[in-house]
Amino acid sequence: MLLHLSTWQEIEAYLQRSKTVVVPIGSNEQHGPTGLLGTDWLCPEIIAHEAQKDSDLLIAPTFNIGMAQHHLGFPGTISLRPTTFIAAIGDWCRSLAGHGFEKIYFLNGHGGNVATIEAAFSELYAEASFARAERGFACKLKNWWELKGVNALAQRQFPVGHGSHATPSEIAVTQWAYPGAVKTAEYSPQIAPTGPIREAVDFRARYPDGRMGSDPALATPEKGGELVMLAAAGLVEDVAAFAAEPFPARG
Amino acid sequence: MLLHLSTWQEIEAYLQRSKTVVVPIGSNEQHGPTGLLGTDWLCPEIIAHEAQKDSDLLIAPTFNIGMAQHHLGFPGTISLRPTTFIAAIGDWCRSLAGHGFEKIYFLNGHGGNVATIEAAFSELYAEASFARAERGFACKLKNWWELKGVNALAQRQFPVGHGSHATPSEIAVTQWAYPGAVKTAEYSPQIAPTGPIREAVDFRARYPDGRMGSDPALATPEKGGELVMLAAAGLVEDVAAFAAEPFPARG
Amino acid sequence: MLLHLSTWQEIEAYLQRSKTVVVPIGSNEQHGPTGLLGTDWLCPEIIAHEAQKDSDLLIAPTFNIGMAQHHLGFPGTISLRPTTFIAAIGDWCRSLAGHGFEKIYFLNGHGGNVATIEAAFSELYAEASFARAERGFACKLKNWWELKGVNALAQRQFPVGHGSHATPSEIAVTQWAYPGAVKTAEYSPQIAPTGPIREAVDFRARYPDGRMGSDPALATPEKGGELVMLAAAGLVEDVAAFAAEPFPARG
Amino acid sequence: MLLHLSTWQEIEAYLQRSKTVVVPIGSNEQHGPTGLLGTDWLCPEIIAHEAQKDSDLLIAPTFNIGMAQHHLGFPGTISLRPTTFIAAIGDWCRSLAGHGFEKIYFLNGHGGNVATIEAAFSELYAEASFARAERGFACKLKNWWELKGVNALAQRQFPVGHGSHATPSEIAVTQWAYPGAVKTAEYSPQIAPTGPIREAVDFRARYPDGRMGSDPALATPEKGGELVMLAAAGLVEDVAAFAAEPFPARG
Amino acid sequence: MLLHLSTWQEIEAYLQRSKTVVVPIGSNEQHGPTGLLGTDWLCPEIIAHEAQKDSDLLIAPTFNIGMAQHHLGFPGTISLRPTTFIAAIGDWCRSLAGHGFEKIYFLNGHGGNVATIEAAFSELYAEASFARAERGFACKLKNWWELKGVNALAQRQFPVGHGSHATPSEIAVTQWAYPGAVKTAEYSPQIAPTGPIREAVDFRARYPDGRMGSDPALATPEKGGELVMLAAAGLVEDVAAFAAEPFPARG
Amino acid sequence: MLLHLSTWQEIEAYLQRSKTVVVPIGSNEQHGPTGLLGTDWLCPEIIAHEAQKDSDLLIAPTFNIGMAQHHLGFPGTISLRPTTFIAAIGDWCRSLAGHGFEKIYFLNGHGGNVATIEAAFSELYAEASFARAERGFACKLKNWWELKGVNALAQRQFPVGHGSHATPSEIAVTQWAYPGAVKTAEYSPQIAPTGPIREAVDFRARYPDGRMGSDPALATPEKGGELVMLAAAGLVEDVAAFAAEPFPARG
């Protein structure tokens, strides 16, 4: 069930049977010579939309811009500062919690988002903690590649050249969903370098074509489809477990 | 050309021929008993995506959550506070301007966004103004219904019962684009009341089913298609005019 | 009744008979070669102070600095950034509402303030909306030239050369109230150019003497007096209507 | 010379002969049973306006709302939070400094403002200090009662019952300037209590009629006039000394 | 009793017998050619730790970075902007108040902190004042040299050359506590100049070796010990008086 | 070399031979029935102070309050909200970088700090990235238990009952450094439960005595000493490697 294609009464009815909502969250940033700028928000969106086809999951609109300051040296990247990101995640959660959602699950597509999303959760919890009050809702962050079996599959599919940015696995997922937007390009070295992540100018000096440790030409739509199916199943299972968690402070 | 389905090199190449980018911006909020929660971000996205099919427009990802505090009394609405919205628009623009975009055009789908988006532009301009420096880029806000001929067409299509929220014209646009998500519902009175907009509790007391002045059952996919085609043509023309504007301070 | 010339007990007594307060709000910014820097805050102050002479209106101190970033290229302009302006309006309203004021009416003298003031109201309402609580007070913004009959009179007085900044009508109002500060100057063209508003450097390049579309030499103190009297009457009427509006959410 | 009754060209001309501007700053807050709510911003405004009659001082509009959180328990008080106040003072100073003012002198009328105004100066200086850059302007805060001879005169005028809030000296100043707004009231004890200042509820419990240590019935317009004349002369002298201070870092 | 060397149960037990906590607060900043960078946070820490040895005082961890923007021109200085400092003090106080502490006493070691700490208290109180609610706790700021008898002793010890920054008294305190870190250096003039405090570049131009009005070579560990003993006794007495103050609004 | 026990000239001299500084950072929060409230800032302080005894490391003052919102349900915990923490870390780094430090190394003692510290680094880098400028300095975060060999030693020392909060290893470190503050208490179960971390009320309901997965009675001062020695050696090595990293964008 896609929230944005529903009416408010349909959401009201959904809340009678579930207090859980899934938010795909990612980033719009360069993904090397062949990866789409939207890769990191498209992947969790693709997986979440797939997962809701056969299960009673509610999927919120995609939070499509995240923390990608280090990619700003490459045209097309759009980034929020961490403090802006924290404020925005806060408003999303306050909006949803006000409707009665008690479990807000973020399916994330960008490693660079993790620290700030966790800080945003703490910022939300802190409002309650300073008041020594129960918060009323719980947040959870899960990277799609950490859903059950997904990382293992990606390692089997791409035993060499997977890397950590502009990876063949994420590019494969978008190739499967957007077959009309499969890109090819020459690049070298075949496997990109690795190293630390700092500001944008430093990043581009270290990683001139945008890849980190990856050989994205290994991606195929078929492999992407396998990843999506496995991740979608894992998402349904993981959300169910989160939805079932009790609130011990409610006594 | 959709930015999120492009690579960074494709954007780098685009910047050689144009410094203009279009950002669909809207809101995710209740739209009465038959309107989709995504209506206000779907409409500008639909129109902008249509417009780029036959012209060299670059369309950024959709900014899908806006200022909808008054709709928070209805499940499914997600809102940013104005100050959060200003911060986020600022980061989008700073990201884009840093790549060399000099004209950032926001195609808006939500009347409640207008004041805050304009304030956000002033916040960005003020950074330069306090320093007595040229800003380097210009922003423009346009509501899709103000594109050439669109309001007039909507008035012809819906001479009675158009109203100002959950209007048949915006719902028609989403019906055309998402025929599988056409909703029906009983409601009364046929034409909803009108009045001021304040906080969410006040809003729901005044407008119990979420409509303001509208009779959304008048919407049809066909009328939506007419609106989209006219708006898409108007967008191409309006963006071209904006792109052509000189920067007089550059001397 | 002027709040700043009253004691706290007088305000306490006033609150027994009315919950409404009027705040003149404007900007301190260049107004072309003959307009006073204070024009935009003096006009609503003049009108509001006039209006309270014969009616039981309570007028707060004047909020004299607004959002004028585009005028910072001209000496004497003082501007708040939008986010500062939002914070300050918020504190004014929270202060007044805490005393029991339920209707806070801003009589505005600067078009450039409108978006940010509306955003500030939404920021205030949002505090309640996120909590799904009644706000306890309502805000209203009215530009003085939109009071009943005022625009029409100005158009009759200045059928040509009224323009949109440093207009003869606003200058006439200050001439009537401050006859000792009537200024004259040579300028050309007789009617200033028009166009978009961006950062200060751009603004000064487009509008070298500060006027937009206006011929301010048309102003006379007599015409100013006519405008003040009409606006004062309109203010009394408009405030009364606002004061009479019910709060539907109070049941 | 009053900035708000000048044109931008007049300020441009003034900047040729002086880089100094005076900002009257105060607070709008309860002043006991007989003091005006505007007392703390009226006093510096009265003195500064008097001082510029016979000297080439430039007086900015009055910053009329300050930090008065402790007085919010009394109707009519309007307060900014310290962080809002810091932001607003910052924007005033950045506006003025951008025009070329190098010495910004705040003539203050409210003891409760002092800490936050000093913090605001540090916030402004810190922008330069973090960048190890010269700031380009200097700020100074002076309470009007600390101008040469003023405190001593007040002590001679009111050897008993001067106190620290709703003092006979400040009330006398407003009586002199606003003879039509002289108020009388019964109160007891004759001399109000003293003690610490905390939040508004605590303040009202400690000081039920709003006075601190004062017997405001001692005020007379004549004494007010004496204070204004002495303070105006002291202001001219103090501003001249500030204007003459060199910037040692300019080498 | 040192909070950081206690368990949470020990603090829980302490709260049964006292609601008061002491926070040493200072700054890490240059202190001239012979003063330690930590002088301003070490002094209150030394005194507070001494005082708790023979009395039932609870001492919180030391707040060791304050508002020292003017010292940033000298290596080793670390400063918070005033708004950051206000936010941090706020979080400390909200944390402590939430545990039941009703009196939070800051023993300060840096004059440059005073304005911002007072503004921070007002920011905290304002939260309650805008809501017309009792705050629940009171804050107090005391500079260690203002404890009973301390200034007088310092004046006796250093009748000439005490000055206001890098003073022999504060340096003597650290010499007593850290005899291994006594520094010597040549400097001239013997007594440093005095003047205003502005941004860091201006400060270093005025005070090239960092001293203001002082001759720190007068310091000896013995004089430091005398100051510590007197200050510690004064602290115990002053905290007891603060702890005993009633909350009049509790009725 | 301890920064706070040095003069500014000593730091100036240090900067001639090194651009690297180490900041111990932690949190002041409950650590179960036997752990000190200061554990998480004492541990990195102890290790860093030990390490500098035999090597030319510069150790900044300890950043002793971090992000511990989830522990606020236990008396003595002091926490910053993530946004406050980000602001403060930013000001520390801007202060240090302004002196010429190019490598700022945070030795961390609290897992709950990690996300926010990383977000703070991104916030700092983003300032440069939005401007497409080189940042001038690099930050690094290292948890002391991740220094070479430390985790492995802790696992050997405490093969059962190490857990993740109030662990025997961190308590052992403080026992070694503060033998006078070794605490004992009865608790059960012997090994505490584990689970997710949310707001303070939820945390205390899940972990009633504050431990997570640990059996802190296993700690001994001797084991603490072993950990300190190993960690200190690891720190010297890790800082040296960080100091040696080039800045590739400097060309």
Side-chain angles (χ1 to χ4, degrees):
Chain A
M1 184 176 181
L2 300 179
L3 188 143
H4 65 283
L5 297 184
S6 307
T7 65
W8 69 263
Q9 291 100 327
E10 289 171 333
I11 303 305
E12 196 169 60
Y14 174 86
L15 279 160
Q16 297 304 310
R17 57 187 197 273
S18 171
K19 305 293 192 200
T20 301
V21 61
V22 175
V23 182
I25 190 164
S27 174
N28 195 82
E29 63 185 45
Q30 70 85 12
H31 269 78
T34 62
L36 307 183
L37 281 153
T39 300
D40 279 358
W41 62 268
L42 292 171
C43 287
E45 180 176 284
I46 291 162
I47 293 163
H49 286 210
E50 185 65 28
Q52 57 88 44
K53 288 180 183 166
D54 298 317
S55 69
D56 192 25
L57 285 186
L58 177 64
I59 311 298
T62 301
F63 198 124
N64 53 17
I65 303 296
M67 213 303 294
Q69 63 84 21
H70 43 304
H71 295 299
L72 282 168
F74 297 89
T77 300
I78 305 174
S79 177
L80 301 180
R81 283 168 296 166
T83 48
T84 304
F85 200 17
I86 288 172
I89 293 170
D91 286 354
W92 281 59
C93 289
R94 287 181 202 100
S95 296
L96 292 167
H99 300 312
F101 291 103
E102 297 186 343
K103 300 284 175 69
I104 308 178
Y105 183 105
F106 287 83
L107 183 66
N108 181 45
H110 175 47
N113 280 353
V114 171
T116 306
I117 295 175
E118 293 287 2
F121 294 170
S122 296
E123 186 88 5
L124 281 162
Y125 293 145
E127 290 179 7
S129 296
F130 276 117
R132 309 311 192 259
E134 211 236 351
R135 175 71 261 195
F137 64 93
C139 297
K140 179 170 181 168
L141 170 67
K142 183 74 127 196
N143 298 313
W144 66 261
W145 55 86
E146 293 178 338
L147 290 166
K148 196 166 74 180
V150 175
N151 252 335
L153 173 57
Q155 290 305 319
R156 286 196 306 275
Q157 291 176 329
F158 312 107
V160 175
H162 187 271
S164 61
H165 185 68
T167 64
S169 60
E170 61 189 348
I171 288 173
V173 167
T174 63
Q175 287 180 339
W176 175 79
Y178 295 89
V182 175
K183 317 275 173 161
T184 56
E186 300 290 308
Y187 54 75
S188 75
Q190 198 61 24
I191 295 181
T194 61
I197 293 177
R198 300 204 176 117
E199 79 274 14
V201 169
D202 180 273
F203 189 98
R204 189 153 179 175
R206 291 178 189 274
Y207 317 107
D209 67 7
R211 296 172 299 138
M212 291 182 74
S214 68
D215 181 5
L218 301 169
T220 68
E222 294 67 32
K223 289 176 178 167
E226 292 168 19
L227 288 162
V228 171
M229 292 309 146
L230 192 63
L235 178 62
V236 172
E237 186 179 325
D238 200 49
V239 172
F242 181 49
E245 268 187 33
F247 285 93
R250 294 190 181 166
Chain B
M1 184 176 179
L2 301 179
L3 189 143
H4 65 281
L5 297 185
S6 307
T7 65
W8 69 264
Q9 290 100 327
E10 289 170 333
I11 303 305
E12 196 169 58
Y14 174 86
L15 279 160
Q16 298 303 310
R17 57 188 196 272
S18 171
K19 306 291 192 202
T20 301
V21 62
V22 175
V23 182
I25 191 166
S27 175
N28 194 81
E29 62 185 46
Q30 69 84 13
H31 270 78
T34 63
L36 306 183
L37 281 153
T39 300
D40 279 358
W41 62 269
L42 291 171
C43 287
E45 180 176 286
I46 292 163
I47 293 162
H49 286 209
E50 185 65 29
Q52 58 86 45
K53 289 180 184 166
D54 299 316
S55 69
D56 191 24
L57 285 186
L58 176 65
I59 311 299
T62 300
F63 198 124
N64 54 17
I65 302 297
M67 212 305 293
Q69 62 84 21
H70 43 304
H71 295 299
L72 282 168
F74 296 90
T77 301
I78 304 174
S79 178
L80 302 180
R81 285 168 295 164
T83 46
T84 305
F85 201 15
I86 288 172
I89 293 170
D91 286 353
W92 282 58
C93 289
R94 285 181 205 101
S95 297
L96 292 166
H99 300 311
F101 290 104
E102 297 186 344
K103 300 286 175 67
I104 308 176
Y105 184 105
F106 286 85
L107 182 66
N108 180 44
H110 175 45
N113 280 355
V114 171
T116 305
I117 295 175
E118 293 286 2
F121 293 170
S122 297
E123 186 88 5
L124 281 162
Y125 293 146
E127 289 178 7
S129 295
F130 276 117
R132 308 311 192 258
E134 212 234 351
R135 175 73 259 197
F137 64 92
C139 297
K140 179 169 181 168
L141 170 67
K142 184 74 126 196
N143 298 314
W144 66 263
W145 54 88
E146 292 177 338
L147 290 166
K148 196 165 74 177
V150 176
N151 252 334
L153 172 57
Q155 290 304 317
R156 285 197 306 275
Q157 290 176 331
F158 312 106
V160 175
H162 187 272
S164 61
H165 185 68
T167 66
S169 61
E170 62 189 349
I171 288 172
V173 167
T174 62
Q175 288 180 339
W176 175 79
Y178 295 89
V182 176
K183 316 277 173 157
T184 57
E186 298 291 309
Y187 55 76
S188 76
Q190 196 64 23
I191 295 181
T194 62
I197 292 177
R198 299 203 176 117
E199 81 273 15
V201 169
D202 180 274
F203 190 98
R204 189 154 181 174
R206 292 178 190 272
Y207 317 107
D209 67 7
R211 296 173 298 138
M212 291 183 73
S214 69
D215 180 6
L218 300 169
T220 69
E222 294 69 30
K223 289 176 178 167
E226 293 168 19
L227 289 162
V228 171
M229 293 307 146
L230 192 63
L235 178 62
V236 172
E237 185 180 325
D238 201 49
V239 171
F242 180 49
E245 270 187 32
F247 284 92
R250 293 189 182 169
Chain C
M1 184 176 182
L2 300 179
L3 188 142
H4 65 282
L5 297 185
S6 307
T7 64
W8 70 263
Q9 292 99 329
E10 289 170 333
I11 303 305
E12 195 169 62
Y14 174 86
L15 277 160
Q16 298 303 310
R17 56 188 198 273
S18 171
K19 306 292 191 203
T20 302
V21 61
V22 175
V23 182
I25 190 165
S27 175
N28 195 83
E29 63 185 44
Q30 70 84 14
H31 270 79
T34 62
L36 307 181
L37 280 153
T39 300
D40 279 358
W41 62 269
L42 292 170
C43 287
E45 180 176 285
I46 292 162
I47 293 163
H49 285 210
E50 185 65 29
Q52 58 86 45
K53 289 180 184 166
D54 298 318
S55 69
D56 192 25
L57 284 186
L58 177 65
I59 312 298
T62 300
F63 198 124
N64 54 15
I65 302 297
M67 212 304 294
Q69 63 81 22
H70 43 305
H71 295 298
L72 282 169
F74 297 90
T77 300
I78 304 173
S79 177
L80 302 180
R81 284 166 296 163
T83 46
T84 304
F85 201 16
I86 288 172
I89 293 170
D91 285 354
W92 282 59
C93 288
R94 286 181 204 100
S95 296
L96 293 166
H99 300 312
F101 291 104
E102 297 185 344
K103 300 284 175 69
I104 307 177
Y105 183 105
F106 286 84
L107 183 66
N108 180 44
H110 175 46
N113 280 353
V114 171
T116 305
I117 296 176
E118 293 287 2
F121 293 171
S122 296
E123 186 88 5
L124 281 162
Y125 293 146
E127 289 177 7
S129 296
F130 275 117
R132 309 311 193 258
E134 213 235 349
R135 173 75 258 196
F137 64 94
C139 298
K140 179 170 183 169
L141 169 68
K142 184 75 125 192
N143 298 313
W144 65 263
W145 55 86
E146 292 179 338
L147 289 166
K148 197 166 73 176
V150 175
N151 251 335
L153 173 56
Q155 290 304 318
R156 285 196 306 276
Q157 291 176 330
F158 312 106
V160 174
H162 187 271
S164 62
H165 185 68
T167 66
S169 61
E170 60 189 348
I171 288 173
V173 167
T174 62
Q175 288 182 338
W176 175 78
Y178 295 88
V182 175
K183 316 277 173 159
T184 56
E186 299 291 309
Y187 55 77
S188 76
Q190 199 61 25
I191 296 181
T194 61
I197 293 176
R198 300 203 176 118
E199 80 273 15
V201 169
D202 180 274
F203 189 98
R204 190 154 179 175
R206 292 178 188 273
Y207 316 107
D209 67 7
R211 296 173 299 138
M212 291 183 74
S214 69
D215 180 6
L218 301 169
T220 69
E222 295 69 30
K223 288 177 179 166
E226 293 168 19
L227 288 162
V228 171
M229 293 307 146
L230 192 63
L235 178 61
V236 172
E237 186 179 324
D238 201 49
V239 172
F242 180 49
E245 267 186 34
F247 284 93
R250 292 189 182 169
Chain D
M1 184 176 181
L2 301 179
L3 188 144
H4 66 282
L5 296 185
S6 307
T7 65
W8 68 263
Q9 290 100 327
E10 290 171 332
I11 304 306
E12 197 169 58
Y14 174 87
L15 278 161
Q16 298 303 311
R17 57 188 196 273
S18 171
K19 306 293 192 202
T20 301
V21 61
V22 175
V23 182
I25 190 165
S27 174
N28 194 82
E29 63 185 45
Q30 69 85 13
H31 270 79
T34 63
L36 307 182
L37 281 153
T39 300
D40 279 357
W41 61 270
L42 291 170
C43 287
E45 180 176 284
I46 291 163
I47 293 162
H49 286 210
E50 186 64 28
Q52 58 87 44
K53 288 181 183 165
D54 299 318
S55 70
D56 192 25
L57 284 186
L58 177 64
I59 312 298
T62 301
F63 198 123
N64 54 16
I65 302 296
M67 212 305 292
Q69 62 82 23
H70 43 304
H71 294 298
L72 282 168
F74 297 90
T77 300
I78 304 175
S79 177
L80 301 180
R81 284 167 295 162
T83 47
T84 304
F85 200 16
I86 288 172
I89 292 169
D91 285 353
W92 281 59
C93 289
R94 285 181 204 102
S95 296
L96 292 166
H99 299 312
F101 290 104
E102 297 185 343
K103 300 284 176 67
I104 307 176
Y105 183 104
F106 287 84
L107 183 65
N108 180 44
H110 174 47
N113 280 353
V114 171
T116 305
I117 294 175
E118 293 288 3
F121 294 171
S122 298
E123 186 88 6
L124 281 161
Y125 293 145
E127 289 178 7
S129 296
F130 276 117
R132 309 308 193 262
E134 212 235 351
R135 173 74 259 194
F137 64 93
C139 297
K140 178 170 182 168
L141 170 67
K142 183 74 127 193
N143 299 312
W144 66 262
W145 55 87
E146 293 179 337
L147 290 166
K148 196 166 72 177
V150 176
N151 251 335
L153 173 57
Q155 290 304 318
R156 286 196 306 275
Q157 290 176 330
F158 312 106
V160 175
H162 187 270
S164 61
H165 185 69
T167 66
S169 61
E170 61 189 347
I171 288 172
V173 168
T174 62
Q175 287 181 339
W176 175 79
Y178 295 88
V182 176
K183 317 276 172 160
T184 56
E186 300 290 310
Y187 55 77
S188 76
Q190 199 61 25
I191 295 181
T194 61
I197 293 178
R198 301 206 175 115
E199 79 273 16
V201 168
D202 180 273
F203 189 98
R204 191 156 179 173
R206 292 178 189 273
Y207 317 107
D209 67 8
R211 296 172 298 137
M212 291 183 73
S214 69
D215 180 5
L218 301 169
T220 68
E222 294 69 30
K223 290 177 178 166
E226 294 167 17
L227 289 162
V228 170
M229 293 307 146
L230 192 63
L235 178 62
V236 172
E237 185 180 324
D238 201 50
V239 171
F242 180 49
E245 267 186 34
F247 284 93
R250 292 189 184 170
Chain E
M1 184 178 181
L2 301 179
L3 188 142
H4 65 282
L5 296 185
S6 307
T7 65
W8 70 262
Q9 290 101 326
E10 289 171 332
I11 303 305
E12 197 169 61
Y14 175 86
L15 279 160
Q16 299 303 310
R17 58 188 196 273
S18 170
K19 306 291 191 201
T20 301
V21 61
V22 175
V23 182
I25 190 166
S27 175
N28 194 82
E29 62 186 44
Q30 69 84 12
H31 270 77
T34 62
L36 307 182
L37 281 152
T39 300
D40 279 357
W41 63 268
L42 291 171
C43 287
E45 181 176 285
I46 292 163
I47 293 162
H49 286 210
E50 185 66 28
Q52 57 87 44
K53 289 180 183 165
D54 298 319
S55 70
D56 192 24
L57 285 186
L58 177 64
I59 312 298
T62 300
F63 198 125
N64 53 16
I65 302 296
M67 213 305 293
Q69 63 83 22
H70 43 305
H71 295 298
L72 283 168
F74 296 90
T77 300
I78 305 174
S79 177
L80 301 180
R81 284 168 295 164
T83 46
T84 304
F85 200 16
I86 289 172
I89 293 170
D91 286 354
W92 281 58
C93 288
R94 287 181 203 100
S95 296
L96 292 166
H99 300 311
F101 291 103
E102 297 186 344
K103 302 284 175 68
I104 307 176
Y105 184 104
F106 286 84
L107 183 66
N108 180 45
H110 174 46
N113 279 354
V114 171
T116 304
I117 294 175
E118 292 288 1
F121 293 171
S122 296
E123 186 88 6
L124 281 162
Y125 292 146
E127 289 178 7
S129 296
F130 276 118
R132 309 311 192 258
E134 212 235 350
R135 175 71 260 195
F137 64 93
C139 297
K140 179 169 183 168
L141 170 67
K142 184 73 126 195
N143 299 313
W144 66 263
W145 54 87
E146 293 177 337
L147 290 166
K148 198 165 72 177
V150 176
N151 252 333
L153 172 58
Q155 290 304 318
R156 286 196 305 275
Q157 290 176 330
F158 312 106
V160 175
H162 187 270
S164 61
H165 184 69
T167 65
S169 61
E170 59 190 350
I171 289 173
V173 168
T174 61
Q175 288 180 338
W176 175 79
Y178 295 89
V182 176
K183 317 276 172 158
T184 56
E186 298 292 307
Y187 53 78
S188 76
Q190 198 62 24
I191 295 182
T194 61
I197 293 177
R198 299 203 177 118
E199 79 273 15
V201 169
D202 180 273
F203 190 98
R204 189 152 180 176
R206 293 178 189 273
Y207 317 108
D209 67 6
R211 295 172 299 137
M212 291 183 74
S214 68
D215 180 5
L218 301 169
T220 68
E222 295 67 31
K223 289 177 178 168
E226 293 168 19
L227 289 162
V228 171
M229 292 307 146
L230 193 62
L235 178 63
V236 172
E237 185 179 326
D238 201 49
V239 171
F242 180 50
E245 270 187 31
F247 285 93
R250 295 192 180 166
Chain F
M1 184 178 182
L2 300 180
L3 188 143
H4 66 282
L5 296 186
S6 307
T7 65
W8 69 263
Q9 290 100 327
E10 290 170 332
I11 303 304
E12 197 169 58
Y14 175 86
L15 278 160
Q16 298 304 309
R17 57 187 197 273
S18 170
K19 306 293 191 200
T20 301
V21 61
V22 175
V23 182
I25 190 165
S27 174
N28 195 81
E29 64 186 45
Q30 69 84 13
H31 270 78
T34 62
L36 307 182
L37 280 153
T39 301
D40 279 357
W41 62 269
L42 291 171
C43 288
E45 181 176 285
I46 292 162
I47 293 162
H49 286 209
E50 186 65 29
Q52 58 88 45
K53 288 179 184 167
D54 298 318
S55 69
D56 191 23
L57 284 187
L58 177 64
I59 312 298
T62 301
F63 198 124
N64 54 16
I65 302 296
M67 212 304 295
Q69 62 84 22
H70 43 303
H71 294 298
L72 282 168
F74 296 89
T77 300
I78 305 175
S79 177
L80 302 180
R81 286 167 295 163
T83 47
T84 304
F85 200 16
I86 289 172
I89 293 169
D91 285 354
W92 282 58
C93 288
R94 286 182 203 100
S95 297
L96 292 167
H99 299 313
F101 290 104
E102 297 185 344
K103 301 284 174 70
I104 308 177
Y105 183 104
F106 287 83
L107 183 66
N108 180 46
H110 175 45
N113 280 353
V114 172
T116 304
I117 295 175
E118 293 286 2
F121 293 171
S122 297
E123 187 87 6
L124 282 161
Y125 293 145
E127 290 179 6
S129 296
F130 276 117
R132 308 311 193 259
E134 212 235 350
R135 175 71 259 194
F137 63 93
C139 297
K140 178 170 182 169
L141 170 67
K142 182 76 124 194
N143 298 312
W144 66 262
W145 55 87
E146 293 178 338
L147 290 165
K148 196 165 73 178
V150 176
N151 251 334
L153 172 59
Q155 291 304 318
R156 285 197 305 275
Q157 291 177 330
F158 313 107
V160 175
H162 187 271
S164 61
H165 185 68
T167 65
S169 61
E170 60 189 349
I171 289 173
V173 167
T174 62
Q175 287 180 339
W176 175 79
Y178 295 89
V182 175
K183 316 277 172 159
T184 56
E186 300 290 310
Y187 54 77
S188 75
Q190 199 62 23
I191 296 181
T194 62
I197 293 177
R198 299 200 178 119
E199 80 272 14
V201 169
D202 180 273
F203 189 98
R204 189 154 180 174
R206 291 179 189 273
Y207 316 108
D209 67 7
R211 296 173 297 137
M212 290 182 74
S214 69
D215 180 6
L218 301 169
T220 69
E222 294 69 31
K223 288 176 179 169
E226 293 167 18
L227 288 162
V228 170
M229 292 308 146
L230 191 63
L235 178 62
V236 172
E237 184 179 326
D238 201 47
V239 172
F242 180 49
E245 268 187 34
F247 284 93
R250 294 190 181 167

